[in-house]
């Protein structure tokens, strides 16, 4: 298969692919499987947000909903995405969200630098995005990146007693909920 695809070629190919692939500036990026901790954290975040938003005009998606960023066309599968406006999609297949309000990525050792760097730079191009949350699966560490009028700011939370505020959607997630049942083994 060729290494560079147009966005249209990627989307046609991806919709038939047996596994998920992200797309960044013409490059296909295969997605690997997720660990137990990754799955627990993703489920906990989804559950917490879904329960708080169920009676509001918001939708919460897990990692199967593709998100498109422009003007450099990129497609990603965030672990959790929230939209609190009328959802807009790329086409009538309704599998590519254009206007997320919040995106959550659970960091994996193999993707951490990418999620904090290139991927975040692409997400910043989405006009509707107000908060980008990075959750470590190796330790208690949640970074909240948020749009503050003219710039992105960040704050980190590193204690299970902390509560993550998601101001753009008027929700809160206790870190004890985000990390529920996650176990770490430390070697001295």
């Amino acid at each position: 298969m060729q290494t560079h695809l147009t966005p249209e070629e990627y989307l046609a190919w991806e919709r038939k692919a047996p596994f998920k692939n992200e797309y960044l500036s013409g490059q296909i990026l295969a997605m690997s499987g997720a660990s137990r901790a990754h799955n627990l954290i993703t489920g906990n975040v989804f559950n917490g947000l879904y329960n708080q938003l169920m009676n509001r005009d918001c939708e919460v998606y897990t990692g199967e909903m593709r998100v498109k960023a422009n003007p450099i066309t990129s497609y990603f599968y965030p672990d959790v995405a929230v939209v609190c406006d009328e959802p807009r999609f790329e086409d009538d297949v309704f599998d590519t969200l254009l206007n997320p309000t919040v995106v959550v990525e659970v960091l994996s050792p193999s993707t951490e630098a990418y999620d904090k760097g290139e991927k975040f730079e692409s997400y910043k191009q989405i006009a509707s995005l107000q908060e980008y949350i990075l959750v470590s699966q190796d330790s208690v560490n949640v970074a909240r990146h948020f749009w503050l009028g003219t710039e992105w700011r960040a704050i980190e939370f590193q204690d299970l007693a902390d509560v993550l505020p998601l101001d753009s959607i008027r929700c809160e997630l206790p870190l004890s909920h985000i990390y529920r049942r996650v176990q770490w083994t430390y070697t001295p």
Side-chain angles (χ1 to χ4, degrees), residues 31-75:
M31 295 185 67
S32 60
S35 69
R36 176 178 183 253
H38 190 285
N39 278 294
L40 285 169
I41 293 165
T42 300
N44 292 342
V45 169
F46 173 84
N47 172 273
L49 294 176
Y50 177 84
N51 287 336
Q52 292 178 65
L53 296 169
M54 68 185 332
N55 294 319
R56 297 194 7 227
D57 288 333
C58 298
E59 295 181 4
V60 184
Y61 304 107
T62 57
E64 297 300 315
M65 178 58 75
R66 190 172 33 251
V67 168
K68 181 180 182 180
N70 277 322
I72 299 172
T73 303
S74 304
Y75 293 92

Side-chain angles (χ1 to χ4, degrees), residues 42-174:
T42 300
N44 292 342
V45 169
F46 173 84
N47 172 273
L49 294 176
Y50 177 84
N51 287 336
Q52 292 178 65
L53 296 169
M54 68 185 332
N55 294 319
R56 297 194 7 227
D57 288 333
C58 298
E59 295 181 4
V60 184
Y61 304 107
T62 57
E64 297 300 315
M65 178 58 75
R66 190 172 33 251
V67 168
K68 181 180 182 180
N70 277 322
I72 299 172
T73 303
S74 304
Y75 293 92
F76 303 112
Y77 288 95
D79 292 305
V80 178
V82 179
V83 60
C84 283
D85 290 323
E86 184 66 30
R88 291 186 298 111
F89 297 92
E90 181 156 49
D91 54 28
D92 61 3
V93 180
F94 304 107
D95 63 353
T96 306
L97 182 67
L98 302 176
N99 63 327
T101 307
V102 175
V103 165
V104 179
E105 293 284 4
V106 179
L107 300 174
S108 300
S110 62
T111 64
E112 184 171 350
Y114 171 63
D115 288 345
K116 290 179 175 180
E118 259 186 304
K119 187 184 268 191
F120 185 29
E121 290 304 313
S122 291
Y123 277 135
K124 286 178 184 178
Q125 305 308 309
I126 301 173
S128 62
L129 188 67
Q130 296 296 305
E131 295 182 89
Y132 181 56
I133 310 302
L134 295 170
V135 183
S136 172
Q137 66 173 312
D138 297 323
S139 63
V140 176
N141 190 311
V142 177
R144 175 184 174 242
H145 299 268
F146 56 100
W147 181 248
L148 193 62
T150 58
E151 65 182 346
W152 284 92
R153 297 270 180 98
I155 186 170
E156 286 192 20
F157 301 89
Q158 299 179 320
D159 191 303
L160 286 175
D162 288 340
V163 175
L164 171 68
L166 296 164
D167 296 340
S168 65
I169 56 173
R170 299 184 330 270
C171 291
E172 292 184 338
L173 288 176

